[in-house]
Amino acid sequence: ALFGMSFTESAKVKYLEGNQLKTNFYGHSINRVEYKIDSSHAVFVKHKSQIGFKANKDMAELLFWGNAPFEGENVVTENLKFTQANSISAGVSFKHASGEKWKIKGSYGINFITSLREVSANKAELYTARGGSYANVNVESLSISERKDGIKGVGVDIDFEFDYSIDSVNSISMKALDFNFNFLLNQPYLYLDTSFRFNGISYDFVNDSLSITEKIDSSYNDVLNRGRANKKLNSLPTRLSLSWKRKLNPKNDLTLSVHTIDLGVYGVSGRIGLGHKFSNRFKVLSSLGYGNFKGLSWTESLEYQTQKRLNIYLCLQNINAFVAPKVQKATGWGLD
């Protein structure tokens, strides 16, 4: 769903047969290069691509595969949200302060949004008449970004990390990552808060390169033009995490953590992990997590440091999907 051009037929069947009430998905790819000037200062360049979607299951089916299966039905969703964006940031990172028990690190960059597609609504409702002769639409606080060439926005990108040692065996860590505040450059949005009837359109809200206004019949242009305005400010999804680590012995430690994406809009999850240090260069972390995206997940990760201080990190997620694939129908796996 995230990396293919469309659903495979087997994935589509599994999704349609599922009994979930809501559909959430979120994924991102981050490429970051950092050059250390000294032990406290560094410069970095980061590219991030992200996609997220939130709606109830029926509305998601309608948006993915069309409204034909919903003839004579009224499909409603609340808090609909879709985000697809690419951004590039460059800046500096440094240690603000450090002591025997605590340390603070921050990264601050200038952010450029190179592509942006957004859809959100407090409520969206669509009734499809039998035979498909018409559809009634009712939307509350609907906003849709329109296609525009060039840089979409400029702003700031901030990462903030805080570590504190409570005592010799307990420590806590807080991270606020990808915080951003952007000024949009001549970026029009379509705002609608109304009800109307139309004869239907064919529109892929994820992949269609045309603006939605270029797909709708011209008779609705007056309605659309009244709702068009430039959006000035934008903030893309961020990540927050809080973790507690307890050192069990010189080789092993236990970690409990909670993670949220975009303040819970795109998901909340918790994790418990057991870390083992084979040497000062080689560490392994085994963890079990649970979240409102994929239920239970088993993750194995390892980190190795070469003699030239090159760190290699590998993470294999959702191993439980291999162990019990029939149970994990809606669960995928990947490399982090």
Side-chain angles (χ1 to χ4, degrees):
L2 292 179
F3 303 107
M5 294 302 294
S6 63
F7 282 86
T8 63
E9 190 60 32
S10 60
K12 177 181 177 180
V13 171
K14 290 177 182 179
Y15 179 83
L16 294 175
E17 292 178 349
N19 57 4
Q20 66 270 26
L21 299 177
K22 297 181 180 180
T23 296
N24 281 4
F25 67 70
Y26 175 83
H28 67 239
S29 172
I30 299 176
N31 303 293
R32 179 183 172 112
V33 177
E34 184 173 286
Y35 176 76
K36 295 186 180 297
I37 300 173
D38 53 39
S39 59
S40 300
H41 301 82
V43 294
F44 73 90
V45 176
K46 179 173 70 174
H47 172 265
K48 181 172 183 178
S49 176
Q50 57 192 143
I51 180 171
F53 174 77
K54 176 182 180 181
N56 74 5
K57 183 173 182 287
D58 286 346
M59 182 61 74
E61 288 182 26
L62 186 150
L63 292 173
F64 292 153
W65 297 296
N67 61 332
F70 297 95
E71 289 186 37
E73 298 182 26
N74 198 44
V75 179
V76 183
T77 189
E78 295 183 350
N79 300 319
L80 169 70
K81 191 169 179 66
F82 168 74
T83 303
Q84 186 177 40
N86 287 277
S87 59
I88 298 174
S89 61
V92 298
S93 63
F94 53 88
K95 295 178 182 178
H96 287 282
S98 62
E100 292 184 1
K101 289 197 170 188
W102 51 272
K103 64 179 180 180
I104 303 173
K105 179 183 178 181
S107 296
Y108 309 90
I110 300 176
N111 193 52
F112 298 90
I113 301 177
T114 58
S115 67
L116 178 65
R117 298 292 299 275
E118 284 190 311
V119 179
S120 65
N122 289 346
K123 183 178 180 180
E125 184 175 0
L126 188 143
Y127 171 78
T128 302
R130 294 194 179 278
S133 57
Y134 67 87
N136 288 334
V137 177
N138 177 41
V139 291
E140 297 179 7
S141 301
L142 172 68
S143 70
I144 304 173
S145 64
E146 296 198 293
R147 186 173 178 269
K148 198 76 174 179
D149 295 329
I151 299 295
K152 306 302 183 294
V154 179
V156 296
D157 181 75
I158 300 172
D159 291 343
F160 189 78
E161 302 179 26
F162 173 76
D163 296 307
Y164 178 72
S165 297
I166 302 173
D167 51 38
S168 59
V169 295
N170 296 287
S171 63
I172 58 174
S173 175
M174 292 181 288
K175 294 182 180 181
L177 304 176
D178 303 324
F179 266 76
N180 59 95
F181 306 94
N182 307 286
F183 294 94
L184 297 182
L185 306 175
N186 191 28
Q187 176 60 59
Y189 275 66
L190 182 64
Y191 296 95
L192 292 176
D193 197 343
T194 186
S195 299
F196 58 91
R197 175 178 292 187
F198 66 100
N199 294 325
I201 61 172
S202 175
Y203 187 72
D204 184 341
F205 83 107
V206 176
N207 297 312
D208 207 314
S209 61
L210 294 177
S211 167
I212 191 172
T213 56
E214 298 178 78
K215 303 280 284 190
I216 293 180
D217 188 273
S218 60
S219 60
Y220 302 105
N221 283 344
D222 288 341
V223 175
L224 299 178
N225 288 333
R226 288 196 301 268
R228 184 180 286 106
N230 283 345
K231 187 176 180 179
K232 301 298 184 182
L233 300 175
N234 176 278
S235 179
L236 297 174
T238 60
R239 294 177 289 155
L240 293 175
S241 67
L242 174 64
S243 62
W244 166 73
K245 180 184 288 187
R246 180 175 178 82
K247 189 174 182 180
L248 303 177
N249 53 54
K251 294 285 187 179
N252 300 285
D253 53 61
L254 179 70
T255 302
L256 297 176
S257 59
V258 60
H259 309 266
T260 177
I261 297 176
D262 205 19
L263 301 177
V265 172
Y266 287 130
V268 178
S269 61
R271 185 178 297 175
I272 180 171
L274 180 65
H276 180 75
K277 182 166 66 174
F278 289 92
S279 68
N280 290 333
R281 293 182 180 176
F282 183 44
K283 303 175 183 178
V284 173
L285 176 65
S286 303
S287 59
L288 289 176
Y290 188 86
N292 57 354
F293 277 103
K294 53 192 177 183
L296 186 68
S297 64
W298 171 21
T299 301
E300 292 289 338
S301 55
L302 61 88
E303 184 176 8
Y304 180 76
Q305 185 180 85
T306 68
Q307 291 182 346
K308 295 183 179 181
R309 301 190 64 80
L310 172 67
N311 282 55
I312 300 173
Y313 177 78
L314 175 67
C315 178
L316 183 61
Q317 303 181 55
N318 288 43
I319 299 176
N320 47 307
F322 293 105
V323 177
K326 292 185 178 180
V327 176
Q328 298 295 323
K329 285 186 177 181
T331 302
W333 68 277
L335 296 176
D336 181 14

